[in-house]
Amino acid sequence: MSFDQLNVIETGGGIAGPLVGRALRDLGANVVKLESRRRLDFGRTRVPPPGKTSEHVHASPSVHDLHAGKASVTVNLKTELGRTIFVDMTSKANVYVDTYAPGWLERIGLSYESFQERNPQLIILSQSAYGTMGPKRDQRAYAPIMTALAGLESTVGYQDGRTVSQVSSAVGDLVAGHFGILLVLSALYSRQSTSRGTILDMSQIEASVAIAGIAFAEYGLTGETPGPRGNAHPMHVPHGLYRVAGDDQWVSLAICSDDDWSSLCDSLGLSEAVRREYQSTELRLQARDEIDQLVTKA
């Protein structure tokens, strides 16, 4: 089946699920965003940007970016007619992407399993915060909560240990969205040989753990819990932002090899003795503060 024959249904707000739908739409799929007028995607209801009025709210750049090219259908799933329309749509779909917390379908008398009974080739991607199993499955979470629970937030901050509140308001969503794209594409590839759909149970928090992988590896190797280290790098010195001449002028440096160090010494006019003293990565790691002071003064 080519992508232009692929029918995709999408429920849920935010970024993660809509990003999956947008990627499939870009590949040629027919994507329908299903929502209720009683509970619009919160991206549609944001306050107007500065200098704009309420009539511009619908023109949010993120909404247009995530839903470009998609069709939009609103139904009231609390009515029998709304549920009938929804079931009919999933019966004819190839992919269904859902980012709502588990349990919402059961509350209106539906389920992923019932969709697959009617349509065995349907691929369902569930992208809830905690996954469909476990004691927290029914809880809601936004991206900053996801990256915090994944451990990422505790590793980003200043060298004195202060964290920066949140890495970004949408990192968790973006990571989960890209994982979701790969999961759906893999399931589509598998279906070519099995002719069967599948239910993909994805926790957005677990996906966020992937971008904290270096911290987990560091703990496994050293037994120490990683914390904020500012712009410093665990394996490279000098590494960070350094003040230069002028009012609030800075330069970003990342010295990743001994050859880089020699080139930096040439550029800064550092002595041959300094070059030899810190020639290896191991020596530079042991003298991080001294080297930072040398680079700043130079």
Side-chain angles (χ1 to χ4, degrees), residues 149-171:
L149 292 175
L152 182 67
E153 301 290 348
S154 66
T155 67
V156 179
Y158 298 93
Q159 286 177 294
D160 62 6
R162 290 179 297 150
T163 57
V164 294
S165 176
Q166 65 179 45
V167 178
S168 170
S169 60
V171 167

Side-chain angles (χ1 to χ4, degrees), residues 10-208:
E10 176 192 304
T11 55
I15 295 175
L19 184 59
V20 177
R22 171 63 195 269
L24 294 173
R25 178 67 191 95
D26 287 347
L27 290 169
N30 305 299
V31 183
V32 178
K33 178 175 176 60
L34 185 70
E35 57 188 318
S36 169
R37 291 183 181 274
R38 296 169 62 91
R39 187 181 180 182
L40 292 172
D41 185 328
F42 65 81
R44 298 185 187 274
T45 60
R46 291 177 177 173
V47 296
K52 303 293 184 179
T53 62
S54 59
E55 66 187 56
H56 296 96
V57 173
H58 70 280
S60 168
S62 63
V63 170
H64 285 296
D65 183 42
L66 290 168
H67 303 300
K70 299 177 186 177
S72 176
V73 173
T74 58
V75 295
N76 184 354
L77 295 177
K78 293 186 177 181
T79 66
E80 186 64 33
L81 176 59
R83 290 190 292 273
T84 299
I85 293 172
F86 186 25
V87 170
D88 183 62
M89 291 174 69
T90 55
S91 298
K92 298 173 182 177
N94 307 108
V95 177
Y96 170 42
V97 180
D98 178 37
T99 54
Y100 286 137
W104 78 275
L105 281 172
E106 286 73 13
R107 288 193 292 272
I108 59 174
L110 301 172
S111 67
Y112 294 150
E113 291 74 17
S114 67
F115 291 158
Q116 277 209 317
E117 287 176 7
R118 296 182 182 89
N119 183 1
Q121 291 192 330
L122 180 64
I123 294 169
I124 299 173
L125 173 63
S126 172
Q127 281 188 302
S128 59
Y130 299 87
T132 62
M133 297 177 288
K136 295 183 178 180
R137 66 185 293 271
D138 297 325
Q139 293 188 23
R140 279 75 168 165
Y142 292 100
I145 298 174
M146 297 174 195
T147 48
L149 292 175
L152 182 67
E153 301 290 348
S154 66
T155 67
V156 179
Y158 298 93
Q159 286 177 294
D160 62 6
R162 290 179 297 150
T163 57
V164 294
S165 176
Q166 65 179 45
V167 178
S168 170
S169 60
V171 167
D173 274 298
L174 294 170
V175 172
H178 285 90
F179 270 90
I181 294 167
L182 292 174
L183 283 171
V184 170
L185 292 177
S186 298
L188 287 168
Y189 181 79
S190 175
R191 195 180 63 179
Q192 289 181 333
S193 57
T194 65
S195 297
R196 298 284 302 180
T198 187
I199 298 175
L200 303 165
D201 181 10
M202 175 184 170
S203 161
Q204 293 193 48
I205 293 171
E206 291 181 5
S208 296

